[in-house]
Amino acid sequence: MGLVEGKGSRTFHIEKHTDPYSMLKRIATEFDLELDFRIETKGNKITGRYVDLVQQIGQWRGREIEFGKDLRSIKRIEDTDNIYTALIGLGPEKDGRRLEVLVEDYDALQRWGRRDPVTGELRHIISTYEPQTEKDELSYDRLRTLTKNELEKRINEIVEYEAEIADLEHVPGMENEKIRFGDTLKIKDTQFNPPLYVEARVFEVSGSMKERGKKNVKLGDFTEYTEEEVQAVWKSLQDEIRRSIARMLSVNVVSSAGTVFKNGIGDAELTAVVYNQGNEMDKDGETYNYTWTKYDKHGNLLGEWSMSGKTINVKATDIDEKAMYACEVVFQDVAVLGYVTLTNVFDGVDGEPGIPGPPGKNGQTLYTWHKYADDDQGNGMSDYPDGKAYIGMAYNNESPIKSTNPDDYEWSKYRGDQGVPGPPGEDGNPNYTWVKYADDENGNGMADRPDGKRYLGLAYNKTTQTESTNPSDYNWSPLYDNVQVGGRNLFVIKDALVNSVFKWADGEVATETDSLVSGFIEVLANENIICNYTISQIMFYDKDKVYIGTYRDGELVPVGGQTRPTDKITVPNKQSIAYMRVSFRYGFLEDASVEGKKVKLEKGNVETDWSPAPEDERAYAEYVAQLKADLAEEEAKAHADGKVTAEEQARIDQARRNLEEAKQHANDVSSEAETNAKDHADKVSKEKAEEARRQAEEFAENASNIKKGIIDVGSVPIRTAANGARIQWDGTNGLVQYDSKGNPVSWLDLKGNSRFVNAYLSGEIHAKRGVLGDGNVIIDDKGVRIVRPDGAITMQNGLMHNAYAVSADDPYYMTTTKNEVPGAEVGPVFIPGGLYGYKFRARSWYVCLKYSADGSKRKETGYLDVRDGLNAVAFQRYEFVHCARYLIFHYWPHADSGKHSLHVVNGSSDKKEDRIYFQLIEKGTSGIQKCVIDLGKPTFKKRDVTFKIGWVAAWTPSPEEEIIFRMKSVIQTDVL
């Protein structure tokens, strides 16, 4: 292997035998490289043979040439002069002799063999082959393998195509039809016999200076296709297109009689309406397969219930309070799901009062707060409806900051996505409040969730649960806690790739004319990102920049999924996501360069004016500095000998031109920015002048309100900047800071509540309660509560959910038996699996015969009583640092055990005053016993305790009785 100009890694699956050349071709194809063979010599001796993997010349420009359109003529030239059907392999000569082997190919013989003029039999075309090797000897098998490999190269003709084509590059409007050396072309000639379909690369281009309308090309690296193969590929593409279209389908289940039945009366037709990008599909229900399933009020699937068809009929009597009907629509092996929930309600006592509409106050800006909770007391209060059964509303508030006190809200039952029931009307029917979210005060971008939305829409006293999709049916008010203003441009021009696009399958970059790909952009889960152009592809990568999926409608789609074009992104809540890359396709760079497009990606949900990324500003400064250095270097070289040649002067002039062009570019950018700033300033000045005139009139009208140093001026800006940003105080909102677009970014209300994007403090913070992030960290008088990213609670009220280390003696600190008979066997009281072969059990149990430790059979066996002052023997001693409240032994007695007692003592004491735990285990007790010891407040000092097991004669009907047990675990923990 020689030079390698590519980098990266690929995984190959080799399922059948191959030859070195084919494998090299496969490697080159995978890395978008091509092979270049070369031989190095020294004198008349070959010193090396190399295969270089170099960057591929040319590209696929989409040029397809067809006979009758731009293909004038084509020739298929077959060279059969060097075809052989058999080879004689010759080994190295040694002592006047050399090894010979004959290799034949009978398929090639049938195709190319020559008939004997006498017998008429096919005869081989034979040649000799001498492998080039530095070895003096070759085995017979090795020589045969090398000869066979060589024969495979010589049994096929050399095919070359020559074509005369129309050069369309100079035709106005067809500049993209150019052809260059190394480009890939597709040629179709259905008049050729048989029909010709070829994909090949251009390795020679020739043409006339006079006749610029035609070119002669020679093609190589070609792939020939039969008409059947082309048709098969076309059919597979059609199938894939159908499947892709199927993946874009969405299903909406529509009920002919609403979603609420009363007193079990009535029925409804449910119809699955299928959409593709907003257009209704399969209106007659004959194209797709429709399968219906049903779920009861608890969300359980009713397996015995199933129906099919685009439209089905359901009865109120079939619904027990609530049921969900789901329709699975299948097309081209792709399934999409739609569902609707139907409710069956019955007359009862008057329900809870609903939510009144908001009466405004003259001359004041008032705010509506809303929250979601688990019950009508506001427990589990949240800004999101997920899993919440109640909605809380608070009207006519003077501050835009929502209260965190549940008592400030009126709580009502929330019926999923269908609205909030209000008070019954005169006819006994309930009213509903609809809730929606949007991007602006006109309801654009309306959605059911508040993620990334800046406005709340409410519609009161509606007679149906089904929420309207018409923004004009709602009253819109700002959601100030969702305003996020970015500023820093995340799109770095120097890292961008032009004429590039992503592969959906692996996130790698491929070639596509006039498309643009960004570099890697660091992102975090749940971040909002906005762009001033529609993004075609959004790809996510982990911390090692390994592709993990694409973005689609707020979700991470696994590898192979495709992005729905958008200009707003909320990074999915996946902790594995560390980087994002985006692309802009479909001729994005046709009308301008990447610099001219001025792409801006920024964090937040409010667009700001374009500004270059800091990395691009630094790169441009470095570029200018390098040009200056190049100019200085050229001048120094030229004047080194006191003479400046014409060639040296030309290099100096070029370096100066490069520098001047760079400076002019900087001036152009600066002038454009200045012009934009002036235009904006003129516009803002006119608007602010009108605003100032209006405020002056308001101030004059209120001049009479000056009393004893107090000026009541309603709502008048304290200070307004030239770009429209201002600080404003009034008697309703307090002190509010607005940005240039009128969005509030910080404020101090009349109740002392404050809100800022960031706060930098040098002193202490004193507060009753602190909530960080989405409530994952809470600090209050009870202590600290910490929730992990997966939802598990690691600390509650300052106590860690953790098991701290407890170590045990090794070997065991265990009482040993004693025997007064000389030479008698003694050992640990508790033996894994039994006592000295007397009685064996599974070795996972400890066993003790009581008489071996209590002296009850001393006369017969000689075993003495080794129990201590607690009538117990030691099983094990444990050591730990006291860093948690509780020490827990998980003790598991066997059902065959006799009655015994458990003791835990400080150190190894046998005194009752040192005992910190005691428990009786009755005969026949089985299962794990949780022995909990309260160690008190952690001291973080070393402690040791001994676990003992005891018994007395009154508990032991027979000396042969056993104590059998396991010690499953010993832990320290703060949480029981």
Side-chain angles (χ1 to χ4, degrees):
M1 182 63 70
L3 301 175
V4 179
E5 295 183 353
K7 61 181 180 179
S9 62
R10 302 285 191 278
T11 300
F12 291 90
H13 298 283
I14 303 173
E15 299 177 350
K16 59 183 180 180
H17 293 288
T18 185
D19 59 86
Y21 178 74
S22 298
M23 192 64 199
L24 285 172
K25 288 284 290 181
R26 183 177 175 186
I27 293 172
T29 301
E30 285 289 336
F31 286 89
D32 293 327
L33 303 173
E34 57 188 4
L35 303 178
D36 185 20
F37 297 87
R38 58 187 172 90
I39 297 176
E40 292 186 355
T41 60
K42 186 174 182 181
N44 59 357
K45 184 178 181 181
I46 296 175
T47 59
R49 296 179 175 86
Y50 299 95
V51 179
D52 296 333
L53 289 169
V54 298
Q55 291 292 337
Q56 186 168 306
I57 299 173
Q59 59 182 291
W60 163 245
R61 305 178 190 271
R63 184 70 188 271
E64 295 184 351
I65 301 169
E66 183 177 355
F67 187 78
K69 175 193 167 190
D70 47 3
L71 177 63
R72 295 185 171 184
S73 65
I74 185 167
K75 291 191 294 184
R76 187 178 192 272
I77 304 170
E78 295 184 3
D79 182 358
T80 61
D81 291 345
N82 294 309
I83 290 179
Y84 297 95
T85 63
L87 284 180
I88 298 174
L90 302 175
E93 186 175 346
K94 187 176 182 181
D95 300 330
R97 294 180 301 171
R98 62 195 314 174
L99 192 63
E100 293 186 6
V101 61
L102 174 65
V103 177
E104 303 169 277
D105 189 304
Y106 292 100
D107 289 337
L109 174 65
Q110 296 299 317
R111 183 179 180 187
W112 303 110
R114 297 169 183 171
R115 296 202 175 270
D116 187 291
V118 178
T119 65
E121 295 180 352
L122 288 173
R123 297 169 57 186
H124 276 295
I125 306 172
I126 302 176
S127 181
T128 58
Y129 167 64
E130 185 174 353
Q132 299 295 319
T133 176
E134 296 177 358
K135 296 181 180 180
D136 294 333
E137 293 185 5
L138 277 179
S139 67
Y140 178 86
D141 290 340
R142 179 60 178 162
L143 178 60
R144 184 174 183 83
T145 298
L146 293 175
T147 306
K148 182 179 179 182
N149 291 342
E150 180 64 22
L151 179 59
E152 289 179 354
K153 301 176 186 178
R154 301 193 189 186
I155 60 177
N156 291 318
E157 74 277 28
I158 299 174
V159 179
E160 181 180 289
Y161 284 92
E162 291 183 1
E164 182 180 316
I165 63 176
D167 187 0
L168 306 178
E169 178 181 354
H170 304 290
V171 178
M174 304 187 73
E175 293 82 359
N176 61 318
E177 296 287 339
K178 58 188 176 184
I179 296 175
R180 296 293 183 269
F181 177 76
D183 282 357
T184 299
L185 303 179
K186 291 182 180 179
I187 296 177
K188 179 171 68 173
D189 185 356
T190 55
Q191 305 301 315
F192 205 84
N193 187 20
L196 178 67
Y197 299 89
V198 175
E199 181 179 290
R201 293 182 62 203
V202 177
F203 70 87
E204 183 177 312
V205 182
S206 61
S208 170
M209 294 291 291
K210 296 180 179 180
E211 292 187 76
R212 301 183 67 185
K214 68 176 183 178
K215 284 183 178 177
N216 295 316
V217 297
K218 289 186 179 180
L219 306 175
D221 285 353
F222 59 86
T223 303
E224 295 179 325
Y225 300 95
T226 65
E227 191 167 19
E228 291 75 14
E229 289 174 328
V230 172
Q231 293 299 327
V233 171
W234 172 239
K235 187 177 184 303
S236 68
L237 288 174
Q238 287 178 314
D239 292 341
E240 181 58 33
I241 291 170
R242 291 192 189 98
R243 283 191 289 271
S244 299
I245 292 174
R247 295 188 188 99
M248 300 171 67
L249 298 178
S250 61
V251 180
N252 184 28
V253 177
V254 178
S255 171
S256 64
T259 58
V260 178
F261 295 109
K262 187 175 181 182
N263 299 325
I265 300 173
D267 60 358
E269 284 190 345
L270 302 183
T271 302
V273 183
V274 184
Y275 294 96
N276 185 348
Q277 296 181 329
N279 299 315
E280 185 177 352
M281 310 293 290
D282 193 24
K283 293 183 180 181
D284 55 7
E286 296 180 355
T287 303
Y288 308 145
N289 293 322
Y290 300 81
T291 304
W292 296 81
T293 52
K294 181 180 178 181
Y295 297 80
D296 66 15
K297 61 184 178 182
H298 302 296
N300 300 317
L301 175 66
L302 302 178
E304 72 281 0
W305 191 96
S306 178
M307 297 184 73
S308 61
K310 183 178 178 70
T311 300
I312 64 172
N313 185 271
V314 296
K315 293 179 170 40
T317 54
D318 297 333
I319 300 172
D320 180 14
E321 294 184 14
K322 183 172 69 173
M324 185 180 78
Y325 293 86
C327 182
E328 182 183 67
V329 180
V330 179
F331 177 62
Q332 292 293 330
D333 300 327
V334 177
V336 289
L337 191 68
Y339 59 88
V340 66
T341 299
L342 303 183
T343 306
N344 188 12
V345 299
F346 293 87
D347 289 337
V349 298
D350 291 341
E352 298 178 357
I355 304 173
K361 291 184 180 180
N362 292 332
Q364 290 186 328
T365 301
L366 301 177
Y367 300 89
T368 298
W369 302 335
H370 76 292
K371 291 278 189 177
Y372 300 91
D374 297 326
D375 55 33
D376 58 1
Q377 301 300 313
N379 291 315
M381 194 164 68
S382 169
D383 287 327
Y384 297 95
D386 300 332
K388 305 300 180 182
Y390 286 78
I391 185 170
M393 307 297 297
Y395 303 99
N396 304 327
N397 298 289
E398 297 178 351
S399 169
I401 303 173
K402 291 191 285 189
S403 169
T404 57
N405 184 358
D407 295 337
D408 291 338
Y409 296 83
E410 298 178 24
W411 296 99
S412 299
K413 184 74 172 178
Y414 181 62
R415 296 182 182 270
D417 294 332
Q418 299 300 326
V420 183
E426 295 179 358
D427 58 357
N429 292 323
N431 292 329
Y432 300 89
T433 297
W434 298 337
V435 182
K436 291 285 187 180
Y437 304 88
D439 297 327
D440 56 35
E441 68 276 10
N442 296 317
N444 291 316
M446 194 165 68
D448 292 325
R449 286 182 54 83
D451 301 307
K453 303 300 180 182
R454 297 176 53 198
Y455 283 80
L456 167 70
L458 296 173
Y460 304 95
N461 303 323
K462 301 300 179 182
T463 58
T464 175
Q465 284 181 313
T466 304
E467 295 179 339
S468 169
T469 57
N470 185 356
S472 62
D473 290 339
Y474 296 81
N475 294 319
W476 297 99
S477 57
L479 276 172
Y480 291 108
D481 47 351
N482 275 359
V483 175
Q484 301 172 8
V485 181
R488 187 220 195 272
N489 195 349
L490 304 176
F491 186 87
V492 181
I493 294 176
K494 73 180 186 65
D495 295 338
L497 302 175
V498 298
N499 295 327
S500 299
V501 72
F502 293 115
K503 299 177 184 176
W504 294 115
D506 57 13
E508 294 291 331
V509 175
T511 300
E512 185 173 90
T513 304
D514 292 332
S515 292
L516 177 64
V517 163
S518 76
F520 287 92
I521 301 168
E522 291 190 40
V523 293
L524 297 173
N526 299 314
E527 277 188 329
N528 289 319
I529 297 175
I530 192 167
C531 183
N532 59 344
Y533 288 99
T534 297
I535 304 170
S536 304
Q537 293 176 295
I538 303 166
M539 322 295 275
F540 290 115
Y541 304 79
D542 65 14
K543 61 182 178 60
D544 298 319
K545 298 183 178 179
V546 176
Y547 174 58
I548 57 179
T550 61
Y551 177 85
R552 185 179 178 87
D553 300 335
E555 300 294 335
L556 177 65
V557 181
V559 171
Q562 298 190 10
T563 300
R564 193 191 305 277
T566 181
D567 60 351
K568 296 181 180 66
I569 305 168
T570 299
V571 179
N573 187 21
K574 301 291 184 183
Q575 300 303 315
S576 58
I577 296 176
Y579 294 95
M580 176 184 76
R581 297 184 78 180
V582 301
S583 80
F584 305 89
R585 304 179 66 186
Y586 313 117
F588 183 74
L589 295 178
E590 277 185 345
D591 57 348
S593 65
V594 60
E595 293 85 1
K597 278 293 188 180
K598 295 186 176 179
V599 176
K600 186 166 189 181
L601 276 168
E602 55 188 317
K603 294 183 180 180
N605 54 22
V606 178
E607 282 189 34
T608 60
D609 294 335
W610 181 85
S611 58
E615 294 88 342
D616 288 329
E617 292 179 323
R618 287 194 298 271
Y620 184 72
E622 293 169 359
Y623 173 62
V624 173
Q626 183 60 49
L627 290 177
K628 290 181 179 178
D630 292 344
L631 176 59
E633 182 180 359
E634 292 297 338
E635 290 179 334
K637 288 180 180 178
H639 292 86
D641 56 0
K643 298 179 182 179
V644 180
T645 65
E647 183 180 354
E648 290 172 335
Q649 186 61 49
R651 287 201 297 269
I652 292 173
D653 292 342
Q654 183 60 48
R656 283 178 176 161
R657 281 194 297 272
N658 292 342
L659 182 58
E660 289 303 318
E661 288 175 2
K663 290 181 178 179
Q664 184 60 44
H665 175 74
N667 291 334
D668 292 344
V669 172
S670 176
S671 298
E672 183 178 356
E674 182 179 359
T675 300
N676 292 339
K678 286 180 179 179
D679 291 343
H680 180 71
D682 291 341
K683 179 181 177 182
V684 170
S685 296
K686 292 177 182 178
E687 294 174 351
K688 293 305 172 184
E690 179 61 25
E691 179 71 10
R693 182 192 61 76
R694 185 187 61 79
Q695 292 171 0
E697 291 177 354
E698 291 180 355
F699 182 84
E701 291 174 359
N702 289 277
S704 59
N705 294 332
I706 300 176
K707 302 175 183 177
K708 297 182 180 179
I710 299 175
I711 304 176
D712 184 2
V713 293
S715 175
V716 175
I718 297 174
R719 182 79 170 99
T720 300
N723 66 354
R726 68 185 189 278
I727 300 175
Q728 181 171 310
W729 181 92
D730 61 45
T732 299
N733 299 317
L735 189 64
V736 185
Q737 179 185 352
Y738 297 86
D739 64 14
S740 60
K741 296 185 178 181
N743 301 307
V745 293
S746 66
W747 56 85
L748 179 66
D749 68 16
L750 300 180
K751 294 181 180 180
N753 299 312
S754 59
R755 181 178 179 85
F756 301 94
V757 176
N758 295 300
Y760 302 91
L761 308 175
S762 58
E764 298 179 350
I765 298 176
H766 296 268
K768 290 185 178 180
R769 191 167 187 263
V771 180
L772 306 180
D774 293 330
N776 289 337
V777 179
I778 298 176
I779 306 172
D780 55 22
D781 291 340
K782 297 178 181 178
V784 180
R785 178 179 185 269
I786 300 176
V787 181
R788 303 193 320 179
D790 60 6
I793 298 175
T794 58
M795 179 179 285
Q796 180 72 43
N797 296 336
L799 301 178
M800 291 292 293
H801 287 228
N802 198 2
Y804 298 92
V806 177
S807 58
D809 282 15
D810 187 11
Y812 270 45
Y813 179 83
M814 188 182 297
T815 303
T816 58
T817 60
K818 294 181 180 179
N819 197 302
E820 60 187 3
V821 177
E825 189 172 6
V826 295
V829 170
F830 303 102
I831 305 297
L835 179 64
Y836 312 121
Y838 169 73
K839 193 172 186 179
F840 282 90
R841 296 181 180 274
R843 294 194 61 82
S844 57
W845 297 90
Y846 280 98
V847 182
C848 168
L849 284 169
K850 287 187 175 181
Y851 76 76
S852 68
D854 64 7
S856 58
K857 293 183 67 173
R858 180 175 180 179
K859 291 182 180 181
E860 297 91 330
T861 64
Y863 283 107
L864 303 176
D865 188 352
V866 292
R867 293 174 297 174
D868 61 13
L870 298 173
N871 284 319
V873 291
F875 168 66
Q876 178 62 300
R877 180 167 58 192
Y878 299 92
E879 185 176 283
F880 55 92
V881 174
H882 180 199
C883 52
R885 181 78 185 215
Y886 303 103
L887 178 66
I888 301 178
F889 292 84
H890 291 106
Y891 177 80
W892 188 351
H894 193 282
D896 292 340
S897 288
K899 183 176 180 179
H900 57 281
S901 57
L902 307 180
H903 309 255
V904 180
V905 299
N906 284 318
S908 55
S909 174
D910 62 352
K911 297 180 174 58
K912 287 186 178 180
E913 56 267 29
D914 292 325
R915 185 168 63 189
I916 59 177
Y917 184 80
F918 175 79
Q919 181 180 347
L920 281 178
I921 304 296
E922 297 293 338
K923 181 179 177 65
T925 300
S926 179
I928 296 175
Q929 307 294 305
K930 188 175 181 180
C931 309
V932 180
I933 304 169
D934 189 344
L935 299 175
K937 178 182 176 181
T939 61
F940 299 98
K941 295 181 179 179
K942 183 176 76 67
R943 290 187 63 172
D944 61 271
V945 298
T946 302
F947 188 91
K948 299 185 177 185
I949 298 175
W951 65 93
V952 295
W955 303 346
T956 310
S958 168
E960 304 279 338
E961 192 173 65
E962 298 171 322
I963 298 175
I964 311 166
F965 68 94
R966 293 176 180 171
M967 185 64 75
K968 292 294 291 182
S969 63
V970 183
I971 63 170
Q972 267 192 103
T973 180
D974 279 319
V975 182
L976 295 178

